[in-house]
Amino acid sequence: MARLSFETSLRSAIVAAAQALNRSGVSFATFERAYCNQRFWILTSRGGFQIRPEVTPADGIRNIFLEGRKYGFECATAMVIVLYKAVLDSIVESEFNRLFAGMLLYDWHYDSDLRLIEVQGSSRSVPGDILYFKNPDVSPFTPEWKGENAIKLGDDLYYGHGIGIRSAEGIIQTLNSHRRPGSTVSAYLTDQVLYPDFNYLSRFAPGYNTAADTTPQRIEAGEGAITAAVGRRQYIRY
């Protein structure tokens, strides 16, 4: 029940973070034209944002939402930023800074502790999921519109960076305006669904009880040996 409660809370935080980023004043920019507040981030040669050594990841993420007009990035980076902000608002801040030390914001590059899970079934998606709209006949003059990553906010309501908050049809219409001249191939919502590993992240939430965790964890312990942990008990099988 604690894990289910955490997932519900984090999904709500993802929706809230997407809405906040939409209001923040951040701009859409290609990797070549990306920019950031360099008091908090180092702009890399590829258009990524590397956290400065003297800045905590938590403060760096918060600044994007506080001083959005100083930032420009593309839609995949926006999705990762939203996820980081939601996780920051859902777990202990010191754990966030530990887990995501050395943070780099660049495309779908993300820290392994975010643990994104990909499944198929966009028709069964729920708020807090990340979906993808594909534009298969994109104009060669605007390749950045080959698709749009979007966070589901509610029934037929999505946030896509550079497009804003729209219905599925609204996002498709925007993408269709960036097709090859004369194209009749429409953009569409794919079946891909992404979300973070809620169970894993829940262990860093305030008040998490390690002793009460009964999730089996199997890891190899030497050649031919497998261990399982249930709470504080350790089991080894050879």
Side-chain angles (χ1 to χ4, degrees), residues 21 60 70 95 115 134 136 143 164-165 175 215:
L21 193 64
K70 297 182 178 180
E95 293 282 37
R115 295 197 180 191
K134 186 174 182 178
I165 296 176
L175 292 174
T215 303

Side-chain angles (χ1 to χ4, degrees), residues 160-223:
H161 179 58
I163 292 180
I165 296 176
R166 299 282 189 276
S167 65
E169 185 58 32
I171 292 177
I172 289 171
Q173 288 179 0
T174 300
L175 292 174
N176 283 346
S177 68
H178 296 279
R179 289 180 295 176
R180 295 176 182 273
S183 171
T184 58
V185 180
S186 177
Y188 62 93
L189 175 62
T190 71
D191 214 29
Q192 173 185 299
V193 180
L194 288 174
Y195 52 82
D197 187 336
F198 299 105
N199 285 346
Y200 172 71
L201 291 169
S202 69
R203 67 185 65 181
F204 307 108
Y208 176 78
N209 185 357
T210 304
D213 191 348
T214 58
T215 303
Q217 299 177 20
R218 295 165 59 89
I219 58 173
E220 290 194 5
E223 185 175 357

Side-chain angles (χ1 to χ4, degrees), residues 65-226:
F65 291 80
L66 294 173
E67 299 188 87
R69 297 189 184 279
K70 297 182 178 180
Y71 293 86
F73 41 81
E74 48 66 67
C75 66
T77 302
M79 298 297 101
V80 176
I81 289 171
V82 166
L83 291 177
Y84 277 138
K85 180 61 164 62
V87 172
L88 171 60
D89 291 342
S90 303
I91 69 173
V92 177
E93 184 168 334
S94 59
E95 293 282 37
F96 181 88
N97 289 329
R98 180 182 65 83
L99 290 172
F100 306 119
M103 179 180 287
L104 171 66
L105 303 176
Y106 175 69
D107 198 20
W108 276 112
H109 175 99
Y110 57 89
D111 192 285
S112 59
D113 280 299
L114 199 55
R115 295 197 180 191
L116 294 189
I117 297 171
E118 179 178 342
V119 298
Q120 301 298 306
S122 58
S123 63
R124 300 184 300 277
S125 61
V126 295
D129 284 336
I130 298 177
L131 296 93
Y132 185 67
F133 292 81
K134 186 174 182 178
N135 188 10
D137 214 4
V138 63
S139 167
F141 301 106
T142 55
E144 63 271 20
W145 291 104
K146 65 182 179 181
E148 180 74 359
N149 297 286
I151 292 174
K152 186 165 186 173
L153 304 180
D155 290 339
D156 196 28
L157 198 62
Y158 306 85
Y159 165 70
H161 179 58
I163 292 180
I165 296 176
R166 299 282 189 276
S167 65
E169 185 58 32
I171 292 177
I172 289 171
Q173 288 179 0
T174 300
L175 292 174
N176 283 346
S177 68
H178 296 279
R179 289 180 295 176
R180 295 176 182 273
S183 171
T184 58
V185 180
S186 177
Y188 62 93
L189 175 62
T190 71
D191 214 29
Q192 173 185 299
V193 180
L194 288 174
Y195 52 82
D197 187 336
F198 299 105
N199 285 346
Y200 172 71
L201 291 169
S202 69
R203 67 185 65 181
F204 307 108
Y208 176 78
N209 185 357
T210 304
D213 191 348
T214 58
T215 303
Q217 299 177 20
R218 295 165 59 89
I219 58 173
E220 290 194 5
E223 185 175 357
I226 296 177

